[in-house]
């Protein structure tokens, strides 16, 4: 078993065990989910623990499959330990952005590894922007960088219009985490992938402008 399999399996197993504990134990779920009021009362552990809880089995499977498909790209380029840094950093940054946008909504709550997984996806795209992605509803492969840009633009749209019961802000924050931590850990990308760095930064700049101008 190589580092890729070991690290990925450990994270997937941890998510599965903690999520299934939450499925069957309401008090456990309530104690460790992301919840604005509780965090403001000092329960900072929720900023981390909520990333290992999920709303249901479908939510869990979707996130873990997404992680599995992109994890190898990051680990093959950077190694297992940097992968963990990006995963945890993206989880925390996703929740920090969510906290920032909902800090006055004391009952706001959320769960899921989506922020962390978004960070790994964005990291993989930054490291290997030329890879092609296929989706069952799109009959042709699309470049990974186009998916990354589109993903964040949709997240901004979802945040602005409160679409669905989805933590778009955590997704966006996680992707930004993947972007920033990858550049810190792989500064050589500034020599090899500068155009992609600029292109993938555009949605981040757009979010900043929208927030500064009060349009979000």
């Amino acid at each position: 078993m190589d580092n890729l399999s070991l690290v990925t399996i450990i994270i997937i197993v941890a998510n599965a065990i903690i999520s299934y504990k939450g499925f069957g134990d309401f008090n456990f779920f309530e104690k460790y989910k992301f919840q604005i009021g509780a965090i403001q009362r000092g329960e900072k552990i929720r900023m981390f623990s909520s990333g290992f809880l999920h709303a249901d089995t479908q939510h869990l499977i979707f996130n873990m499959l997404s992680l599995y498909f992109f994890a190898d790209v990051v680990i093959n380029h950077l190694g297992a330990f940097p992968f963990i840094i990006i995963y945890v950093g993206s989880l925390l940054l996703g929740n920090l952005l969510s906290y920032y946008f909902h800090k006055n909504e004391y009952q706001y709550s959320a769960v899921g590894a989506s922020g962390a997984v978004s960070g790994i996806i964005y990291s993989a795209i930054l490291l290997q922007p030329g890879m092609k992605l296929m989706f069952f509803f799109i009959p042709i492969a699309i470049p990974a960088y186009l998916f990354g840009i589109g993903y964040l633009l949709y997240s901004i749209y979802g945040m602005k219009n409160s679409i669905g019961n989805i933590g778009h802000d955590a997704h966006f924050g996680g992707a930004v985490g993947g972007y920033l931590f990858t550049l810190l850990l792989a500064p050589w990308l500034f020599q090899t992938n500068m155009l992609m760095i600029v292109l993938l930064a555009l949605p981040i700049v757009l979010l900043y402008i929208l927030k500064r101008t009060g349009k979000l």
Side-chain angles (χ1 to χ4, degrees):
M1 182 180 294
D2 57 22
N3 286 335
L4 165 62
S5 299
L6 180 60
V7 171
T8 306
I9 288 174
I10 287 173
I11 292 176
I12 290 174
V13 168
N15 272 275
I17 291 173
I18 295 171
S19 291
Y20 273 96
K21 169 68 174 174
F23 295 160
D25 187 335
F26 176 79
N27 290 330
F28 179 86
F29 185 88
E30 290 294 308
K31 182 177 180 180
Y32 292 110
K33 70 179 182 180
F34 179 94
Q35 208 270 326
I36 295 293
I39 292 170
Q40 292 180 348
R41 291 194 298 270
E43 298 177 28
K44 301 296 191 293
I45 186 64
R46 292 171 181 262
M47 297 288 285
F48 177 75
S49 62
S50 61
F52 292 86
L53 290 169
H54 288 81
D56 51 42
T57 302
Q58 182 180 359
H59 186 205
L60 171 65
I61 291 175
F62 179 80
N63 274 337
M64 294 304 99
L65 277 177
S66 299
L67 174 64
Y68 175 79
F69 287 130
F70 286 93
D72 62 333
V73 176
V74 179
I75 295 176
N76 287 341
H77 280 82
L78 301 179
F81 186 66
F83 169 83
I84 294 171
I85 292 175
I86 294 169
Y87 185 91
V88 174
S90 297
L91 188 164
L92 294 175
L93 194 57
N95 278 341
L96 281 171
L97 189 67
S98 187
Y99 181 88
Y100 174 72
F101 275 97
H102 299 281
K103 59 182 178 293
N104 296 321
E105 303 170 40
Y106 302 113
Q107 297 305 313
Y108 180 85
S109 63
V111 293
S114 299
V117 174
S118 294
I120 295 301
I121 292 174
Y122 222 67
S123 176
I125 292 170
L126 190 58
L127 290 164
Q128 196 172 312
M131 64 180 173
K132 305 289 187 178
L133 303 178
M134 289 283 293
F135 301 94
F136 67 90
F137 50 85
I138 301 177
I140 59 173
I142 63 172
Y145 72 91
L146 289 180
F147 169 80
I149 293 170
Y151 179 82
L152 288 197
L153 290 176
Y154 175 73
S155 293
I156 292 174
Y157 179 75
M159 292 160 66
K160 186 174 177 61
N161 296 281
S162 301
I163 296 175
N165 188 27
I166 299 172
H168 295 285
D169 35 35
H171 293 184
F172 192 99
V176 172
Y179 179 85
L180 295 177
F181 283 108
T182 300
L183 292 178
L184 286 172
L185 293 166
W188 45 264
L189 289 171
F190 286 102
Q191 278 75 49
T192 61
N193 288 344
M194 192 63 199
L195 178 59
M196 287 301 111
I197 290 173
V198 173
L199 287 175
L200 292 170
L202 293 178
I204 299 172
V205 174
L206 176 61
L207 177 70
Y208 175 78
I209 293 173
L210 289 173
K211 188 62 179 176
R212 288 281 295 182
T213 57
K215 295 180 180 179
L216 187 66

